[in-house]
Amino acid sequence: MFLLVNNVLTQTEIGQIQQLGQGLKFVDGRSTNVHNEAKRNLQLDMTQPNAVKLCQIAAAAVGRNEQIRNFAFPKRIAQPLLSLYEPGMTYGEHADAPYLQLPGGPLRSDVSGTLFLEDPTSYKGGELVIRLGSEKVKVKGEPGAMIIYPSTTIHEVAPVTEGRRLAFFTFIESQIPDEAERELLYLVYEVHALEGFNIKPENRTRLQYIASRLHRMWSR
């Protein structure tokens, strides 16, 4: 199960990111994974002063978003990193690595996310392609939108043929590591939020009790 969340970044924040990003340098995306032959893109050089500020804006936006919290049950969120795809660049089919080595210790990647920055009509190709069984779903979000999905999902970034694709990517370690349990708990909470006041108060309490017990049971 995946979720597309609109307006994770405000228009003001998008403008701030664009301003801070002017003139910043990008490096080979494989610098963080030299053995990944499927990865042909660029990543922001984080040694530049404005690079950290730029990524912190995205991190704050992801961290405060209620829909993302309700879907992913974040325990830790990796600082978003900015990637750039120009014509001919792509990221072939892959599943994300199970752990990321961060300064604060390893982060288990349970949920992956792409935070879009560019107008989808400004570039051709570059869709995030998520495999669901024998089918493939193509996602190309509006500026400020974020797609989140299980890190075990096989996915790719289609080749960019025109323009540029600029987007953040990040990883979330969830309180609920198991994908099926996380999806069920999300649905229980969603039903409680949407239908709770349409059922008898005692049944609403029971539903809340079930959600709370499952949350405690499955949390790690």
Side-chain angles (χ1 to χ4, degrees):
M1 185 175 181
F2 58 90
L3 185 71
L4 180 63
V5 183
N6 291 316
N7 302 315
V8 174
L9 288 168
T10 66
Q11 290 302 310
T12 298
E13 288 169 331
I14 293 172
Q16 290 173 338
I17 289 169
Q18 291 172 341
Q19 184 176 10
L20 289 170
Q22 290 180 2
L24 289 183
K25 296 179 181 178
F26 287 77
V27 296
D28 188 343
R30 287 202 298 162
S31 61
T32 55
N33 192 345
V34 296
H35 302 294
N36 192 338
E37 295 295 331
K39 189 176 187 181
R40 288 187 280 132
N41 66 359
L42 299 173
Q43 288 177 197
L44 185 62
D45 181 355
M46 294 302 296
T47 63
Q48 303 166 97
N50 279 349
V52 175
K53 295 178 184 178
L54 183 150
C55 293
Q56 286 174 339
I57 294 171
V62 173
R64 72 169 181 254
N65 188 274
E66 185 176 5
Q67 286 182 271
I68 294 173
R69 292 199 306 270
N70 292 343
F71 181 84
F73 303 97
K75 186 176 181 180
R76 296 172 64 200
I77 304 176
Q79 177 172 274
L81 297 176
L82 189 60
S83 64
L84 171 64
Y85 291 77
E86 295 178 327
M89 294 184 179
T90 182
Y91 197 158
E93 281 197 337
H94 65 286
D96 292 320
Y99 284 91
L100 282 77
Q101 298 302 321
L102 300 179
L107 178 143
R108 186 185 61 240
S109 58
D110 298 316
V111 179
S112 300
T114 299
L115 180 55
F116 298 96
L117 289 175
E118 300 283 359
D119 182 336
T121 64
S122 69
Y123 62 99
K124 293 182 179 180
E127 299 89 352
L128 177 68
V129 184
I130 301 174
R131 186 194 292 181
L132 296 176
S134 61
E135 301 299 317
K136 292 183 177 182
V137 178
K138 295 183 177 181
V139 182
K140 202 172 185 181
E142 295 291 331
M146 185 172 182
I147 178 78
I148 48 178
Y149 52 94
S151 299
T152 54
T153 307
I154 295 177
H155 57 284
E156 64 182 302
V157 176
V160 171
T161 58
E162 187 176 310
R164 68 171 194 175
R165 178 193 193 265
L166 196 62
F168 287 99
F169 63 95
T170 189
F171 304 95
I172 298 172
E173 180 175 338
S174 177
Q175 301 167 17
I176 317 294
D178 184 271
E179 175 186 339
E181 293 172 350
R182 189 167 61 247
E183 180 178 340
L184 287 172
L185 188 57
Y186 166 72
L187 292 174
V188 171
Y189 275 127
E190 187 176 42
V191 170
H192 179 270
L194 295 174
E195 300 294 337
F197 291 103
N198 296 326
I199 59 179
K200 294 180 179 179
E202 59 267 30
N203 288 333
R204 183 172 186 269
T205 300
R206 288 175 179 176
L207 187 58
Q208 178 62 49
Y209 170 79
I210 291 169
S212 297
R213 286 294 299 271
L214 291 176
H215 202 153
R216 288 186 174 91
M217 186 186 306
W218 291 337
S219 291
R220 300 289 185 274

